[in-house]
Amino acid sequence: MPAMCVRSVGSLSCVLVASLALAACGDNHGDPDAGTGIDAAVIDAQVVDGGVDANPNMPPTIADTGLCLDAGCQQIAPDVHGYAPRWALWSDGAVKQRYIYLPPGATIDTSDMDHWKFPMGTKLWKVFTRDNIRVETRFYLKTGPADTDWYFVAYAWNEAQTEAVAAPSGQQNANGTTHDIPQRSDCRKCHDQVPGRVLGFSALQLDYDAPSTELDLKDLVSMNLLSAPPTAATGPYFPLPAATPTEIAALGYLHANCGHCHNPDSTVHQIVPQVLRLSTAPSALATLEATPTYMTTVNVAPTQSSVSAPAIVNAGDPDHSAMIIRFESTNPAIHMPAIATEVLDTTADATLRDWITHIP
Ligand code: HEC
Ligand code: HEC
């Protein structure tokens, strides 16, 4: 990436340049989608929005963000809560821990249960550990009232694991691992595809029995943190359709790993109509066959001609399902997910294949 993008980090003009001129910046740090054939302009269209990238207040180290009490982040701040989405995003085998800070007294606007809106001052973090080494901690902060008002940046851990400093331009092969830290504009290729921006701290992702050290939906209800709590008296508040564990695992995996791009609100949806994000709407959870995932993929012909298959999910036949062909492909022009992974998730591959094999 040319120096112009690296040097003037943090200034609005550079960020605009960096996001408008992704192509000119060539092989971006942490941008494994270069040359995938996906329309970068479409995915990047929202990168240049609103006040997020204009925020000059990038805390220099991870401790400065408020996550922890010490520079090495061994002590998490008392007002920060851990949580884990029940279905995780695959990050080439990295182990991840997630945290949230909510401003005291504020509630999450849950009037649209599928698209929560967070109060100003909300912070979220995700720590990535690869080969037992902390490589990065991602951070974002709600800076204003609009959906676009979020500030995203990752912090790179030093070799001694004593400090993590802001890495707005990303970093390849962080700390000697094969893990790439995304540059700031890359965060938004995924997070901007869902109106609320927050992807894993959501009704469906938290509607399960989490370990007592971690927040789940029950906790949020009992702590009065939701403006419009679910109406059911106890969890699960949004029961999943009756289905086998494999079917549920497949739906959940696609929700967490593909749904941020493949959902009705994303720019990707303007290219391909399949929907892999689940919804809390009762009609969309009534049966397996009623989920958008099932309705838009099973025995539905692909719209893209890059892969030859009769259907996105060809019932009973994973080998002739565009979803599996694209998931397993090493050709970056057709591989899915479109960005941010270099290693095939073999467990998920087995789950998706098993699911498809057993569809009558
Ligand atoms: C390939 C898509 C993708 C990219 C690129 C990406 N994220 Fe995420 N991120 C996700 C998904 C999906 C989740 C939720 C699932 C999970 O945490 O396993 C998530 C979760 C998070 C979380 C926890 C809160 C939440 O939304 O659930 C933080 C913090 C975060 N990301 C920050 C960042 C930052 C900062 C960047 C850029 C440096 C970034 N992300 C780049 C997809 C992405
Ligand atoms: C970062 C955004 C992004 C993510 C994440 C993503 N996709 Fe895609 N996907 C795209 C785009 C853009 C296209 C259209 C261009 C193309 O065909 O490559 C597409 C196309 C597809 C198609 C072709 C559909 C058709 O009608 O022909 C399939 C199948 C697909 N994706 C499956 C997946 C699966 C499965 C996942 C998760 C494992 C996933 N995608 C994750 C962006 C994404």
Side-chain angles (χ1 to χ4, degrees), residues 83 85 87-89 96 98-99 124-126 136 138-140 152-154 181-184 186-191 197-201 205 256-257 260 339-340:
Y83 74 94
W87 304 298
L89 173 71
K96 303 191 267 186
R98 303 163 187 80
Y99 301 94
L124 293 119
W125 297 266
K126 182 154 71 157
E136 62 163 316
R138 293 185 188 174
F139 167 64
Y140 61 81
F152 288 85
V153 69
I181 301 175
Q183 60 179 331
R184 290 187 52 214
D186 284 348
C187 312
R188 318 197 77 204
K189 289 183 183 171
C190 296
H191 285 271
R197 267 60 176 181
V198 179
L199 298 177
F201 195 90
Q205 284 280 32
N257 285 270
H260 45 278
I339 58 170

mmCIF file of all heavy atoms in Angstrom, residues 83 85 87-89 96 98-99 124-126 136 138-140 152-154 181-184 186-191 197-201 205 256-257 260 339-340, ligand 1:
data_model
loop_
_atom_site.group_PDB
_atom_site.id
_atom_site.type_symbol
_atom_site.label_atom_id
_atom_site.label_comp_id
_atom_site.label_asym_id
_atom_site.label_seq_id
_atom_site.Cartn_x
_atom_site.Cartn_y
_atom_site.Cartn_z
ATOM 1 N N TYR A 83 -18.788 -11.719 26.645
ATOM 2 C CA TYR A 83 -19.923 -12.445 26.039
ATOM 3 C C TYR A 83 -19.376 -13.268 24.883
ATOM 4 O O TYR A 83 -18.242 -13.055 24.436
ATOM 5 C CB TYR A 83 -21.016 -11.479 25.542
ATOM 6 C CG TYR A 83 -20.617 -10.764 24.276
ATOM 7 C CD1 TYR A 83 -20.995 -11.265 23.027
ATOM 8 C CD2 TYR A 83 -19.804 -9.640 24.308
ATOM 9 C CE1 TYR A 83 -20.590 -10.644 21.858
ATOM 10 C CE2 TYR A 83 -19.404 -9.019 23.146
ATOM 11 C CZ TYR A 83 -19.794 -9.523 21.918
ATOM 12 O OH TYR A 83 -19.379 -8.926 20.765
ATOM 13 N N PRO A 85 -21.008 -14.978 21.102
ATOM 14 C CA PRO A 85 -22.143 -15.359 20.254
ATOM 15 C C PRO A 85 -22.210 -16.886 20.177
ATOM 16 O O PRO A 85 -21.184 -17.545 20.232
ATOM 17 C CB PRO A 85 -21.788 -14.759 18.887
ATOM 18 C CG PRO A 85 -20.302 -14.620 18.889
ATOM 19 C CD PRO A 85 -19.897 -14.409 20.319
ATOM 20 N N TRP A 87 -22.942 -18.774 17.721
ATOM 21 C CA TRP A 87 -22.296 -19.229 16.491
ATOM 22 C C TRP A 87 -21.202 -18.221 16.153
ATOM 23 O O TRP A 87 -21.461 -17.029 16.026
ATOM 24 C CB TRP A 87 -23.280 -19.282 15.324
ATOM 25 C CG TRP A 87 -24.477 -20.145 15.616
ATOM 26 C CD1 TRP A 87 -24.499 -21.493 15.886
ATOM 27 C CD2 TRP A 87 -25.853 -19.718 15.660
ATOM 28 N NE1 TRP A 87 -25.786 -21.925 16.083
ATOM 29 C CE2 TRP A 87 -26.641 -20.851 15.948
ATOM 30 C CE3 TRP A 87 -26.492 -18.499 15.467
ATOM 31 C CZ2 TRP A 87 -28.030 -20.801 16.065
ATOM 32 C CZ3 TRP A 87 -27.878 -18.447 15.584
ATOM 33 C CH2 TRP A 87 -28.620 -19.587 15.883
ATOM 34 N N ALA A 88 -19.971 -18.688 15.993
ATOM 35 C CA ALA A 88 -18.848 -17.762 15.802
ATOM 36 C C ALA A 88 -18.466 -17.637 14.332
ATOM 37 O O ALA A 88 -18.737 -18.517 13.522
ATOM 38 C CB ALA A 88 -17.646 -18.254 16.603
ATOM 39 N N LEU A 89 -17.839 -16.516 14.048
ATOM 40 C CA LEU A 89 -17.206 -16.324 12.741
ATOM 41 C C LEU A 89 -15.887 -17.098 12.739
ATOM 42 O O LEU A 89 -15.085 -16.969 13.664
ATOM 43 C CB LEU A 89 -16.930 -14.830 12.539
ATOM 44 C CG LEU A 89 -16.131 -14.443 11.296
ATOM 45 C CD1 LEU A 89 -16.951 -14.634 10.030
ATOM 46 C CD2 LEU A 89 -15.667 -12.986 11.396
ATOM 47 N N LYS A 96 -11.080 -16.550 20.049
ATOM 48 C CA LYS A 96 -11.488 -15.153 20.227
ATOM 49 C C LYS A 96 -12.250 -14.954 21.525
ATOM 50 O O LYS A 96 -13.020 -15.800 21.932
ATOM 51 C CB LYS A 96 -12.363 -14.737 19.037
ATOM 52 C CG LYS A 96 -11.653 -14.933 17.703
ATOM 53 C CD LYS A 96 -12.391 -14.298 16.565
ATOM 54 C CE LYS A 96 -13.335 -15.234 15.871
ATOM 55 N NZ LYS A 96 -13.925 -14.611 14.671
ATOM 56 N N ARG A 98 -14.619 -11.862 23.475
ATOM 57 C CA ARG A 98 -15.339 -10.639 23.124
ATOM 58 C C ARG A 98 -15.837 -9.930 24.373
ATOM 59 O O ARG A 98 -16.194 -10.573 25.357
ATOM 60 C CB ARG A 98 -16.522 -10.973 22.219
ATOM 61 C CG ARG A 98 -16.106 -11.718 20.954
ATOM 62 C CD ARG A 98 -17.305 -12.378 20.307
ATOM 63 N NE ARG A 98 -16.958 -13.232 19.186
ATOM 64 C CZ ARG A 98 -16.498 -14.472 19.322
ATOM 65 N NH1 ARG A 98 -16.294 -14.994 20.506
ATOM 66 N NH2 ARG A 98 -16.222 -15.189 18.251
ATOM 67 N N TYR A 99 -15.901 -8.604 24.286
ATOM 68 C CA TYR A 99 -16.312 -7.788 25.441
ATOM 69 C C TYR A 99 -17.166 -6.618 24.977
ATOM 70 O O TYR A 99 -17.018 -6.137 23.854
ATOM 71 C CB TYR A 99 -15.076 -7.228 26.158
ATOM 72 C CG TYR A 99 -14.125 -8.282 26.673
ATOM 73 C CD1 TYR A 99 -13.034 -8.691 25.906
ATOM 74 C CD2 TYR A 99 -14.346 -8.886 27.913
ATOM 75 C CE1 TYR A 99 -12.166 -9.675 26.366
ATOM 76 C CE2 TYR A 99 -13.489 -9.871 28.378
ATOM 77 C CZ TYR A 99 -12.395 -10.258 27.605
ATOM 78 O OH TYR A 99 -11.548 -11.241 28.062
ATOM 79 N N LEU A 124 -17.173 -2.086 21.878
ATOM 80 C CA LEU A 124 -17.057 -3.547 21.757
ATOM 81 C C LEU A 124 -15.622 -3.903 21.384
ATOM 82 O O LEU A 124 -14.933 -3.132 20.687
ATOM 83 C CB LEU A 124 -18.018 -4.078 20.696
ATOM 84 C CG LEU A 124 -19.499 -3.927 21.081
ATOM 85 C CD1 LEU A 124 -20.229 -3.053 20.103
ATOM 86 C CD2 LEU A 124 -20.166 -5.281 21.209
ATOM 87 N N TRP A 125 -15.184 -5.051 21.871
ATOM 88 C CA TRP A 125 -13.817 -5.507 21.595
ATOM 89 C C TRP A 125 -13.816 -6.986 21.225
ATOM 90 O O TRP A 125 -14.647 -7.751 21.709
ATOM 91 C CB TRP A 125 -12.927 -5.389 22.829
ATOM 92 C CG TRP A 125 -12.698 -4.027 23.371
ATOM 93 C CD1 TRP A 125 -11.645 -3.196 23.086
ATOM 94 C CD2 TRP A 125 -13.494 -3.330 24.342
ATOM 95 N NE1 TRP A 125 -11.755 -2.035 23.826
ATOM 96 C CE2 TRP A 125 -12.874 -2.091 24.592
ATOM 97 C CE3 TRP A 125 -14.675 -3.628 25.014
ATOM 98 C CZ2 TRP A 125 -13.397 -1.158 25.493
ATOM 99 C CZ3 TRP A 125 -15.209 -2.707 25.900
ATOM 100 C CH2 TRP A 125 -14.557 -1.488 26.135
ATOM 101 N N LYS A 126 -12.847 -7.392 20.444
ATOM 102 C CA LYS A 126 -12.647 -8.828 20.165
ATOM 103 C C LYS A 126 -11.147 -9.107 20.114
ATOM 104 O O LYS A 126 -10.426 -8.519 19.311
ATOM 105 C CB LYS A 126 -13.337 -9.215 18.862
ATOM 106 C CG LYS A 126 -13.201 -10.690 18.535
ATOM 107 C CD LYS A 126 -14.340 -11.220 17.644
ATOM 108 C CE LYS A 126 -14.297 -10.727 16.233
ATOM 109 N NZ LYS A 126 -15.024 -11.626 15.294
ATOM 110 N N GLU A 136 -4.125 -9.609 17.753
ATOM 111 C CA GLU A 136 -4.765 -8.289 17.653
ATOM 112 C C GLU A 136 -5.975 -8.237 18.566
ATOM 113 O O GLU A 136 -6.546 -9.262 18.940
ATOM 114 C CB GLU A 136 -5.204 -7.987 16.215
ATOM 115 C CG GLU A 136 -6.239 -8.946 15.670
ATOM 116 C CD GLU A 136 -6.973 -8.422 14.418
ATOM 117 O OE1 GLU A 136 -7.368 -7.240 14.401
ATOM 118 O OE2 GLU A 136 -7.164 -9.208 13.480
ATOM 119 N N ARG A 138 -9.547 -6.127 18.283
ATOM 120 C CA ARG A 138 -10.355 -5.209 17.491
ATOM 121 C C ARG A 138 -11.260 -4.407 18.421
ATOM 122 O O ARG A 138 -11.695 -4.898 19.446
ATOM 123 C CB ARG A 138 -11.200 -5.985 16.478
ATOM 124 C CG ARG A 138 -10.325 -6.645 15.447
ATOM 125 C CD ARG A 138 -11.111 -7.334 14.353
ATOM 126 N NE ARG A 138 -10.170 -8.092 13.528
ATOM 127 C CZ ARG A 138 -10.515 -8.896 12.555
ATOM 128 N NH1 ARG A 138 -11.791 -9.053 12.255
ATOM 129 N NH2 ARG A 138 -9.588 -9.536 11.868
ATOM 130 N N PHE A 139 -11.553 -3.194 17.995
ATOM 131 C CA PHE A 139 -12.306 -2.270 18.855
ATOM 132 C C PHE A 139 -13.218 -1.428 17.999
ATOM 133 O O PHE A 139 -12.839 -1.019 16.909
ATOM 134 C CB PHE A 139 -11.287 -1.362 19.566
ATOM 135 C CG PHE A 139 -11.874 -0.160 20.256
ATOM 136 C CD1 PHE A 139 -12.740 -0.308 21.328
ATOM 137 C CD2 PHE A 139 -11.534 1.130 19.845
ATOM 138 C CE1 PHE A 139 -13.283 0.809 21.971
ATOM 139 C CE2 PHE A 139 -12.061 2.249 20.483
ATOM 140 C CZ PHE A 139 -12.934 2.080 21.558
ATOM 141 N N TYR A 140 -14.434 -1.223 18.483
ATOM 142 C CA TYR A 140 -15.208 -0.128 17.899
ATOM 143 C C TYR A 140 -16.090 0.548 18.917
ATOM 144 O O TYR A 140 -16.409 -0.020 19.951
ATOM 145 C CB TYR A 140 -15.930 -0.516 16.620
ATOM 146 C CG TYR A 140 -16.957 -1.601 16.647
ATOM 147 C CD1 TYR A 140 -18.252 -1.346 17.071
ATOM 148 C CD2 TYR A 140 -16.663 -2.864 16.163
ATOM 149 C CE1 TYR A 140 -19.224 -2.332 17.030
ATOM 150 C CE2 TYR A 140 -17.624 -3.856 16.123
ATOM 151 C CZ TYR A 140 -18.897 -3.591 16.550
ATOM 152 O OH TYR A 140 -19.855 -4.553 16.500
ATOM 153 N N PHE A 152 -14.078 2.358 13.942
ATOM 154 C CA PHE A 152 -13.475 1.015 13.957
ATOM 155 C C PHE A 152 -11.955 1.087 13.885
ATOM 156 O O PHE A 152 -11.416 1.824 13.058
ATOM 157 C CB PHE A 152 -13.898 0.234 12.702
ATOM 158 C CG PHE A 152 -15.326 -0.217 12.688
ATOM 159 C CD1 PHE A 152 -16.337 0.630 12.257
ATOM 160 C CD2 PHE A 152 -15.659 -1.499 13.062
ATOM 161 C CE1 PHE A 152 -17.659 0.200 12.216
ATOM 162 C CE2 PHE A 152 -16.969 -1.939 13.029
ATOM 163 C CZ PHE A 152 -17.979 -1.083 12.604
ATOM 164 N N VAL A 153 -11.275 0.289 14.684
ATOM 165 C CA VAL A 153 -9.819 0.164 14.512
ATOM 166 C C VAL A 153 -9.333 -1.092 15.245
ATOM 167 O O VAL A 153 -9.946 -1.549 16.214
ATOM 168 C CB VAL A 153 -9.077 1.431 15.030
ATOM 169 C CG1 VAL A 153 -9.144 1.570 16.539
ATOM 170 C CG2 VAL A 153 -7.618 1.447 14.570
ATOM 171 N N ALA A 154 -8.236 -1.662 14.749
ATOM 172 C CA ALA A 154 -7.636 -2.833 15.407
ATOM 173 C C ALA A 154 -6.335 -2.427 16.089
ATOM 174 O O ALA A 154 -5.665 -1.484 15.659
ATOM 175 C CB ALA A 154 -7.356 -3.923 14.380
ATOM 176 N N ILE A 181 -4.094 -8.607 10.119
ATOM 177 C CA ILE A 181 -4.957 -7.617 10.783
ATOM 178 C C ILE A 181 -5.551 -6.711 9.703
ATOM 179 O O ILE A 181 -4.809 -6.136 8.913
ATOM 180 C CB ILE A 181 -4.137 -6.771 11.789
ATOM 181 C CG1 ILE A 181 -3.508 -7.686 12.847
ATOM 182 C CG2 ILE A 181 -5.004 -5.686 12.425
ATOM 183 C CD1 ILE A 181 -2.569 -6.969 13.817
ATOM 184 N N PRO A 182 -6.883 -6.596 9.657
ATOM 185 C CA PRO A 182 -7.469 -5.755 8.612
ATOM 186 C C PRO A 182 -7.220 -4.274 8.845
ATOM 187 O O PRO A 182 -7.189 -3.820 9.987
ATOM 188 C CB PRO A 182 -8.974 -6.043 8.695
ATOM 189 C CG PRO A 182 -9.178 -7.065 9.741
ATOM 190 C CD PRO A 182 -7.907 -7.192 10.541
ATOM 191 N N GLN A 183 -7.093 -3.537 7.736
ATOM 192 C CA GLN A 183 -7.042 -2.086 7.867
ATOM 193 C C GLN A 183 -8.459 -1.579 8.143
ATOM 194 O O GLN A 183 -9.433 -2.280 7.912
ATOM 195 C CB GLN A 183 -6.494 -1.464 6.597
ATOM 196 C CG GLN A 183 -7.341 -1.769 5.366
ATOM 197 C CD GLN A 183 -6.795 -1.112 4.118
ATOM 198 O OE1 GLN A 183 -6.173 -0.075 4.196
ATOM 199 N NE2 GLN A 183 -7.017 -1.728 2.979
ATOM 200 N N ARG A 184 -8.545 -0.328 8.612
ATOM 201 C CA ARG A 184 -9.832 0.177 9.093
ATOM 202 C C ARG A 184 -10.944 0.083 8.054
ATOM 203 O O ARG A 184 -12.065 -0.297 8.374
ATOM 204 C CB ARG A 184 -9.679 1.633 9.540
ATOM 205 C CG ARG A 184 -8.847 1.760 10.809
ATOM 206 C CD ARG A 184 -8.854 3.184 11.309
ATOM 207 N NE ARG A 184 -10.215 3.654 11.420
ATOM 208 C CZ ARG A 184 -10.604 4.884 11.197
ATOM 209 N NH1 ARG A 184 -9.727 5.798 10.863
ATOM 210 N NH2 ARG A 184 -11.854 5.223 11.323
ATOM 211 N N ASP A 186 -11.445 -2.017 5.859
ATOM 212 C CA ASP A 186 -11.901 -3.398 5.671
ATOM 213 C C ASP A 186 -12.923 -3.821 6.722
ATOM 214 O O ASP A 186 -13.758 -4.684 6.460
ATOM 215 C CB ASP A 186 -10.712 -4.372 5.708
ATOM 216 C CG ASP A 186 -9.929 -4.331 4.409
ATOM 217 O OD1 ASP A 186 -10.438 -3.741 3.430
ATOM 218 O OD2 ASP A 186 -8.817 -4.877 4.371
ATOM 219 N N CYS A 187 -12.854 -3.224 7.903
ATOM 220 C CA CYS A 187 -13.839 -3.566 8.946
ATOM 221 C C CYS A 187 -15.241 -3.371 8.389
ATOM 222 O O CYS A 187 -16.154 -4.145 8.640
ATOM 223 C CB CYS A 187 -13.693 -2.682 10.172
ATOM 224 S SG CYS A 187 -12.022 -2.506 10.793
ATOM 225 N N ARG A 188 -15.366 -2.318 7.629
ATOM 226 C CA ARG A 188 -16.702 -1.910 7.225
ATOM 227 C C ARG A 188 -17.225 -2.725 6.053
ATOM 228 O O ARG A 188 -18.406 -2.686 5.757
ATOM 229 C CB ARG A 188 -16.663 -0.420 6.925
ATOM 230 C CG ARG A 188 -15.830 0.299 8.001
ATOM 231 C CD ARG A 188 -16.024 1.763 8.075
ATOM 232 N NE ARG A 188 -17.244 2.045 8.738
ATOM 233 C CZ ARG A 188 -17.922 3.173 8.565
ATOM 234 N NH1 ARG A 188 -17.483 4.083 7.742
ATOM 235 N NH2 ARG A 188 -19.027 3.360 9.232
ATOM 236 N N LYS A 189 -16.347 -3.500 5.402
ATOM 237 C CA LYS A 189 -16.832 -4.377 4.332
ATOM 238 C C LYS A 189 -17.799 -5.406 4.897
ATOM 239 O O LYS A 189 -18.674 -5.892 4.199
ATOM 240 C CB LYS A 189 -15.669 -5.110 3.658
ATOM 241 C CG LYS A 189 -14.811 -4.199 2.819
ATOM 242 C CD LYS A 189 -13.736 -4.999 2.126
ATOM 243 C CE LYS A 189 -12.840 -4.074 1.336
ATOM 244 N NZ LYS A 189 -11.672 -4.783 0.815
ATOM 245 N N CYS A 190 -17.619 -5.773 6.147
ATOM 246 C CA CYS A 190 -18.553 -6.697 6.796
ATOM 247 C C CYS A 190 -19.535 -5.941 7.687
ATOM 248 O O CYS A 190 -20.739 -6.111 7.570
ATOM 249 C CB CYS A 190 -17.797 -7.723 7.631
ATOM 250 S SG CYS A 190 -16.741 -8.813 6.640
ATOM 251 N N HIS A 191 -19.016 -5.079 8.570
ATOM 252 C CA HIS A 191 -19.898 -4.481 9.577
ATOM 253 C C HIS A 191 -20.907 -3.509 8.969
ATOM 254 O O HIS A 191 -22.000 -3.360 9.498
ATOM 255 C CB HIS A 191 -19.065 -3.818 10.683
ATOM 256 C CG HIS A 191 -18.450 -4.826 11.607
ATOM 257 N ND1 HIS A 191 -19.076 -5.297 12.728
ATOM 258 C CD2 HIS A 191 -17.267 -5.505 11.541
ATOM 259 C CE1 HIS A 191 -18.305 -6.204 13.336
ATOM 260 N NE2 HIS A 191 -17.197 -6.343 12.631
ATOM 261 N N ARG A 197 -24.618 -2.427 12.488
ATOM 262 C CA ARG A 197 -23.141 -2.583 12.506
ATOM 263 C C ARG A 197 -22.642 -3.680 13.453
ATOM 264 O O ARG A 197 -21.605 -4.268 13.196
ATOM 265 C CB ARG A 197 -22.412 -1.283 12.856
ATOM 266 C CG ARG A 197 -21.987 -0.443 11.643
ATOM 267 C CD ARG A 197 -23.168 -0.019 10.813
ATOM 268 N NE ARG A 197 -22.766 0.864 9.705
ATOM 269 C CZ ARG A 197 -23.636 1.374 8.842
ATOM 270 N NH1 ARG A 197 -24.915 1.087 8.922
ATOM 271 N NH2 ARG A 197 -23.211 2.160 7.878
ATOM 272 N N VAL A 198 -23.330 -3.890 14.564
ATOM 273 C CA VAL A 198 -22.875 -4.908 15.522
ATOM 274 C C VAL A 198 -23.347 -6.269 15.025
ATOM 275 O O VAL A 198 -24.529 -6.444 14.716
ATOM 276 C CB VAL A 198 -23.439 -4.611 16.925
ATOM 277 C CG1 VAL A 198 -23.003 -5.675 17.912
ATOM 278 C CG2 VAL A 198 -22.983 -3.225 17.376
ATOM 279 N N LEU A 199 -22.443 -7.240 14.937
ATOM 280 C CA LEU A 199 -22.796 -8.502 14.274
ATOM 281 C C LEU A 199 -23.028 -9.663 15.225
ATOM 282 O O LEU A 199 -23.866 -10.517 14.984
ATOM 283 C CB LEU A 199 -21.718 -8.861 13.246
ATOM 284 C CG LEU A 199 -21.538 -7.844 12.109
ATOM 285 C CD1 LEU A 199 -20.401 -8.237 11.188
ATOM 286 C CD2 LEU A 199 -22.829 -7.685 11.321
ATOM 287 N N GLY A 200 -22.284 -9.749 16.311
ATOM 288 C CA GLY A 200 -22.398 -10.931 17.166
ATOM 289 C C GLY A 200 -23.149 -10.699 18.467
ATOM 290 O O GLY A 200 -23.542 -11.658 19.128
ATOM 291 N N PHE A 201 -23.353 -9.440 18.852
ATOM 292 C CA PHE A 201 -24.077 -9.118 20.086
ATOM 293 C C PHE A 201 -25.505 -8.794 19.667
ATOM 294 O O PHE A 201 -25.871 -7.632 19.486
ATOM 295 C CB PHE A 201 -23.407 -7.941 20.793
ATOM 296 C CG PHE A 201 -23.845 -7.770 22.234
ATOM 297 C CD1 PHE A 201 -23.162 -8.413 23.253
ATOM 298 C CD2 PHE A 201 -24.937 -6.975 22.565
ATOM 299 C CE1 PHE A 201 -23.558 -8.261 24.583
ATOM 300 C CE2 PHE A 201 -25.334 -6.817 23.885
ATOM 301 C CZ PHE A 201 -24.647 -7.470 24.895
ATOM 302 N N GLN A 205 -28.056 -14.335 18.510
ATOM 303 C CA GLN A 205 -26.734 -14.838 18.901
ATOM 304 C C GLN A 205 -26.580 -14.998 20.414
ATOM 305 O O GLN A 205 -25.730 -15.746 20.876
ATOM 306 C CB GLN A 205 -25.636 -13.902 18.380
ATOM 307 C CG GLN A 205 -25.361 -14.050 16.893
ATOM 308 C CD GLN A 205 -24.470 -15.255 16.595
ATOM 309 O OE1 GLN A 205 -24.507 -16.267 17.282
ATOM 310 N NE2 GLN A 205 -23.653 -15.131 15.553
ATOM 311 N N ALA A 256 -23.726 -16.734 10.974
ATOM 312 C CA ALA A 256 -22.572 -16.025 11.545
ATOM 313 C C ALA A 256 -21.481 -15.746 10.515
ATOM 314 O O ALA A 256 -20.749 -14.768 10.652
ATOM 315 C CB ALA A 256 -21.985 -16.844 12.700
ATOM 316 N N ASN A 257 -21.351 -16.591 9.515
ATOM 317 C CA ASN A 257 -20.222 -16.463 8.598
ATOM 318 C C ASN A 257 -20.569 -15.858 7.248
ATOM 319 O O ASN A 257 -19.667 -15.447 6.512
ATOM 320 C CB ASN A 257 -19.574 -17.834 8.382
ATOM 321 C CG ASN A 257 -18.750 -18.244 9.586
ATOM 322 O OD1 ASN A 257 -17.567 -17.952 9.652
ATOM 323 N ND2 ASN A 257 -19.398 -18.872 10.570
ATOM 324 N N HIS A 260 -23.787 -11.619 7.348
ATOM 325 C CA HIS A 260 -23.500 -10.181 7.363
ATOM 326 C C HIS A 260 -23.413 -9.633 5.948
ATOM 327 O O HIS A 260 -23.687 -8.461 5.738
ATOM 328 C CB HIS A 260 -22.246 -9.840 8.182
ATOM 329 C CG HIS A 260 -21.095 -10.738 7.929
ATOM 330 N ND1 HIS A 260 -20.966 -11.965 8.533
ATOM 331 C CD2 HIS A 260 -20.012 -10.609 7.133
ATOM 332 C CE1 HIS A 260 -19.837 -12.541 8.118
ATOM 333 N NE2 HIS A 260 -19.254 -11.732 7.270
ATOM 334 N N ILE A 339 -14.127 -12.710 1.779
ATOM 335 C CA ILE A 339 -12.898 -12.107 2.311
ATOM 336 C C ILE A 339 -12.535 -12.723 3.661
ATOM 337 O O ILE A 339 -13.338 -13.425 4.275
ATOM 338 C CB ILE A 339 -13.021 -10.568 2.491
ATOM 339 C CG1 ILE A 339 -14.175 -10.213 3.421
ATOM 340 C CG2 ILE A 339 -13.166 -9.873 1.163
ATOM 341 C CD1 ILE A 339 -14.194 -8.741 3.835
ATOM 342 N N ALA A 340 -11.301 -12.429 4.103
ATOM 343 C CA ALA A 340 -10.869 -12.616 5.497
ATOM 344 C C ALA A 340 -10.666 -14.063 5.945
ATOM 345 O O ALA A 340 -10.689 -14.341 7.127
ATOM 346 C CB ALA A 340 -11.819 -11.913 6.465
HETATM 347 C C1 HEC B 1 -15.014 -10.815 7.249
HETATM 348 C C2 HEC B 1 -15.960 -9.932 7.873
HETATM 349 C C3 HEC B 1 -15.447 -9.058 9.009
HETATM 350 C C4 HEC B 1 -14.406 -8.156 8.985
HETATM 351 C C5 HEC B 1 -13.498 -7.804 7.811
HETATM 352 C C6 HEC B 1 -14.353 -7.575 10.307
HETATM 353 N N1 HEC B 1 -15.320 -8.117 11.102
HETATM 354 FE FE1 HEC B 1 -15.655 -7.724 13.064
HETATM 355 N N2 HEC B 1 -16.994 -9.239 13.151
HETATM 356 C C7 HEC B 1 -17.483 -9.953 12.064
HETATM 357 C C8 HEC B 1 -18.514 -10.881 12.527
HETATM 358 C C9 HEC B 1 -19.319 -11.825 11.642
HETATM 359 C C10 HEC B 1 -18.613 -10.735 13.927
HETATM 360 C C11 HEC B 1 -19.546 -11.470 14.895
HETATM 361 C C12 HEC B 1 -19.183 -12.932 15.054
HETATM 362 C C13 HEC B 1 -18.009 -13.201 15.932
HETATM 363 O O1 HEC B 1 -17.586 -12.336 16.717
HETATM 364 O O2 HEC B 1 -17.492 -14.341 15.858
HETATM 365 C C14 HEC B 1 -17.639 -9.678 14.281
HETATM 366 C C15 HEC B 1 -17.445 -9.198 15.569
HETATM 367 C C16 HEC B 1 -16.669 -8.111 15.898
HETATM 368 C C17 HEC B 1 -16.573 -7.529 17.228
HETATM 369 C C18 HEC B 1 -17.383 -7.973 18.420
HETATM 370 C C19 HEC B 1 -18.710 -7.211 18.387
HETATM 371 C C20 HEC B 1 -19.684 -7.694 17.321
HETATM 372 O O3 HEC B 1 -19.938 -6.984 16.315
HETATM 373 O O4 HEC B 1 -20.196 -8.809 17.461
HETATM 374 C C21 HEC B 1 -15.711 -6.480 17.133
HETATM 375 C C22 HEC B 1 -15.307 -5.542 18.251
HETATM 376 C C23 HEC B 1 -15.259 -6.395 15.762
HETATM 377 N N3 HEC B 1 -15.860 -7.409 15.037
HETATM 378 C C24 HEC B 1 -14.413 -5.411 15.281
HETATM 379 C C25 HEC B 1 -13.911 -5.383 13.989
HETATM 380 C C26 HEC B 1 -12.915 -4.430 13.538
HETATM 381 C C27 HEC B 1 -12.358 -3.274 14.348
HETATM 382 C C28 HEC B 1 -12.597 -4.795 12.264
HETATM 383 C C29 HEC B 1 -11.544 -4.185 11.372
HETATM 384 C C30 HEC B 1 -10.237 -3.971 11.954
HETATM 385 C C31 HEC B 1 -13.446 -5.944 11.905
HETATM 386 N N4 HEC B 1 -14.228 -6.254 12.980
HETATM 387 C C32 HEC B 1 -13.431 -6.588 10.689
HETATM 388 C C33 HEC B 1 -17.076 -9.808 10.771
HETATM 389 C C34 HEC B 1 -16.011 -9.042 10.343
#
